[in-house]
Amino acid sequence: MKIITLLNEKGGVGKTTLATHIACGLAVRGMRVLLVDADPQGHATVALGLQKEPGLYDLLVRDAPFKSVLRFIPPKAYQIPGQAVNGQLFVLPSNVETRNIANSISDSFAVSERFHELESTIDLVIFDTSPTPSLLHGSIYIATDGVIYPTTCEYLSFDGLVESIKHRAAADTHRSQWGLSSISVLGIVPTMYRTKTLEHSENLKQLQGQFGALVWEAIPQRTIWAEAAAIRRPGFSFAPESQAAKDAWGLVNRVQEAIASVG
């Protein structure tokens, strides 16, 4: 089982959109995937057609069993029309109670210990996180094998990216004290990219100049993303022949390649 986390200490950069598409895409491909909504807004929960509820809080604070908090997502909610889904997708929901987890746990290994109960039943855990760092983030860092950083090509998003990278470095120092390896940086994903704007093109060059091959192909801003979200479906299910669907599958391909290299 691998655990990956999407991080950026700036809201509105596409973390939830990427997390849900990665989760759905890899489930289509045959993996047993658990998407963990670790944001009190509960948008990953809602995006997959569920009601907000305190699943993550119940798991970590009330010590609820996984069988009572995991929600199975029927394949018809995300499959490509006419094609089979070869894996499974589960969601661990969130609601406003998630913000209280940081004040209710004191063990840095709380997330790691609970989620490794799933070693024999889940292939990949994906954490969709809130932009506000907390002790919950610290516990997620301890459990995480690799991170993906979504970012728009704008100044404030870059600032959030820098802060996230600093906190990952601090987490690695903490991990080393426990004999754990460093967290792998799988990639930096430029999102909502506007190809015809000078600001975005110049900022993308700056990002590529600083981080090189870690910067994945930019995902352009397209109306399909918003239209698909409105009916709670991934873009490749809503409009499978669209360019947005091709962009989404390109992202899924990169993630699949990246997690295969994580030890």
Side-chain angles (χ1 to χ4, degrees):
M1 185 182 77
K2 304 286 179 62
I3 299 177
I4 66 172
T5 301
L6 280 80
L7 287 160
N8 191 321
E9 293 175 23
K10 167 72 174 67
V13 299
K15 288 191 296 294
T16 298
T17 299
L18 265 58
T20 53
H21 279 76
I22 293 167
C24 291
L26 291 176
V28 168
R29 292 268 176 88
M31 296 186 75
R32 298 170 298 176
V33 182
L34 169 58
L35 174 60
V36 181
D37 193 341
D39 188 341
Q41 295 183 85
H43 286 171
T45 301
V46 173
L48 288 170
L50 300 174
Q51 296 296 315
K52 298 180 185 181
E53 56 178 313
L56 185 58
Y57 183 91
D58 286 348
L59 181 81
L60 297 177
V61 179
R62 299 189 175 106
D63 202 29
F66 273 102
K67 64 181 180 180
S68 72
V69 294
L70 294 191
R71 302 292 175 255
F72 176 70
I73 305 299
K76 65 181 181 180
Y78 59 93
Q79 69 186 147
I80 302 167
Q83 296 187 24
V85 170
N86 296 312
Q88 293 178 310
L89 176 60
F90 299 87
V91 171
L92 182 54
S94 176
N95 70 358
V96 68
E97 289 187 67
T98 300
R99 69 172 55 140
N100 297 322
I101 294 176
N103 298 323
S104 304
I105 60 172
S106 57
D107 184 1
S108 297
F109 285 84
V111 172
S112 180
E113 290 173 354
R114 287 308 313 262
F115 281 86
H116 278 91
E117 295 174 24
L118 300 173
E119 285 279 359
S120 62
T121 56
I122 294 293
D123 300 314
L124 179 67
V125 177
I126 302 171
F127 277 91
D128 180 30
T129 59
S130 72
T132 305
S134 69
L135 292 177
L136 174 57
H137 283 71
S139 191
I140 292 172
Y141 274 124
I142 291 294
T144 293
D145 297 306
V147 297
I148 295 173
Y149 295 110
T151 182
T152 59
C153 289
E154 296 169 359
Y155 172 76
L156 291 179
S157 183
F158 282 1
D159 183 68
L161 173 63
V162 169
E163 292 300 314
S164 299
I165 290 171
K166 288 180 181 178
H167 283 124
R168 191 206 79 246
D172 275 344
T173 299
H174 187 51
R175 286 168 63 96
S176 68
Q177 295 172 356
W178 295 97
L180 300 174
S181 60
S182 297
I183 300 168
S184 297
V185 179
L186 304 183
I188 298 170
V189 186
T191 61
M192 295 176 273
Y193 183 65
R194 298 196 297 272
T195 57
K196 296 182 180 180
T197 65
L198 181 61
E199 178 192 17
H200 277 212
S201 60
E202 290 298 320
N203 284 343
L204 179 58
K205 290 178 183 177
Q206 178 185 337
L207 194 67
Q208 292 167 332
Q210 184 169 356
F211 295 104
L214 284 176
V215 181
W216 292 359
E217 186 174 352
I219 298 178
Q221 188 175 50
R222 302 187 194 278
T223 57
I224 290 292
W225 298 104
E227 293 172 349
I231 61 168
R232 301 185 182 188
R233 297 185 75 87
F236 52 72
S237 176
F238 170 68
E241 301 301 321
S242 67
Q243 186 58 53
K246 295 177 183 177
D247 295 337
W249 283 119
L251 171 68
V252 172
N253 291 340
R254 288 298 300 263
V255 173
Q256 198 164 19
E257 293 170 3
I259 61 178
S261 66
V262 174

